Each structure stands twice: as C-alpha cells, then as structure tokens.
Amino acid sequence: MMPKESIIFEDQQILVLTNPPGLATQAPREFDSLEARVREYLLQTSPEATNSDRPPYLGIPHRLDRCASGIIVFAKTRKAAQRLSRQFEAREVGKVYLADVVGHVEPASGEWRDYMRKIPDQPQGEVVAEEHPEGKLAVLQFEVQANSESASRLK
C-alpha cells in the first residue's frame, strides 16, 4: 500500500506524489510498481470504485527511472491525462534532477552519453556498446552544484 505521507497533492483530476528510489513507475503485474500501489489506493479511496465494476481510471503521462526518487503526476481522468501528456510532449513541464555521487566530479559541467537497452523479462535496463542492436542513446547533461573530495551533487 502507498503511504499517505507520499501524497503531495490530490484533487478530482490529478494525484501528485513522491516515488521512492528503487520502485519502478510501471512494471508487469508480477512486479511491484508505483502504478500498482496507486491503483490499489484509488480502489480503496474512490467512491466510484466501490460502487462500480470498473476500476478507476489512471493515466501515467510521465515516468521516473527506477533508481530515481522524485515527484510524479498521475491523471485520474482521461481529460487530465490528455492535457498532461500534451504538456510533457511540448516540454512545458520543467524537470530538475539532482544526484549525489561518490567522488569529486570534474569538470564543473558536461555531458555523459551511454547506450542503453531494456533487459528482456526484467523491469530494468543496462548500458551496452554503441553497436548493440537494441542500444538507444541516453544523454545526461550535468552541472556540479557542490563538490568535495569524497562526494558531489549534480544537477
């Protein structure tokens, strides 16, 4: 079940909450995911769900990588899902990622490029060689926010 303290905002249209690190936004039914927890929450708290044979609507206009924690928005209606999806597609929604890493990072800003692929039958991916037929380019631009000899915070 989803902890109540993870909910940041909820109304009739959307549900905004924090996603803990290590939990996939979406996954096949046999794996735990934020989507499964939110569906269960909506089934338990939605008056429409208790009086209907149909489960409550849940739209997922964006995802977070499984290793990342952060804020995620779910749509509770089709109309909200369409509007949110358009906003994400048009890049009208700003996203900021912070990462705490071990070690001193130099230079102060840059770009990391890797090729990634989804691991078959697993809810995760892996870095592969550029020549790998399933590899897709993943680009990360970063800026060091804080640096010490043993740790750095990147944005």
Side-chain angles (χ1 to χ4, degrees):
M1 180 63 174
M2 187 176 64
K4 273 288 210 194
E5 60 271 10
S6 66
I7 297 173
I8 296 170
F9 177 82
E10 181 177 14
D11 66 12
Q12 296 297 316
Q13 304 293 313
I14 64 171
L15 175 63
V16 180
L17 49 103
T18 58
N19 187 45
L23 182 63
T25 303
Q26 291 179 292
R29 291 185 190 269
E30 61 268 20
F31 297 101
D32 188 21
S33 70
L34 187 59
E35 175 188 19
R37 293 179 184 188
V38 170
R39 285 191 188 284
E40 182 63 29
Y41 166 77
L42 292 176
L43 281 170
Q44 293 179 4
T45 61
S46 171
E48 299 84 28
T50 55
N51 299 325
S52 172
D53 293 337
R54 291 185 300 159
Y57 179 83
L58 183 62
I60 307 171
H62 72 110
R63 296 185 299 263
L64 290 174
D65 291 338
R66 186 168 58 140
C67 59
S69 62
I71 297 172
I72 190 158
V73 180
F74 286 94
K76 294 167 64 176
T77 67
R78 282 183 170 70
K79 189 174 186 178
Q82 290 169 345
R83 287 179 176 168
L84 286 166
S85 291
R86 280 194 297 268
Q87 291 173 341
F88 276 97
E89 287 170 18
R91 305 224 184 265
E92 295 172 355
V93 177
K95 297 186 232 177
V96 176
Y97 294 90
L98 297 176
D100 291 329
V101 298
V102 175
H104 184 84
V105 175
E106 288 291 335
S109 64
E111 183 175 275
W112 291 327
R113 295 172 162 264
D114 285 302
Y115 284 81
M116 304 286 298
R117 77 165 189 118
K118 183 186 178 318
I119 300 173
D121 302 320
Q122 296 289 321
Q124 64 190 56
E126 67 181 347
V127 175
V128 296
E130 182 177 350
E131 304 80 31
H132 194 288
E134 297 172 26
K136 293 183 180 179
L137 180 62
V139 178
L140 172 72
Q141 296 173 336
F142 70 92
E143 182 180 305
V144 176
Q145 299 291 297
N147 234 344
S148 73
E149 289 303 312
S150 61
S152 301
R153 171 161 284 172
L154 308 179
K155 175 179 169 188

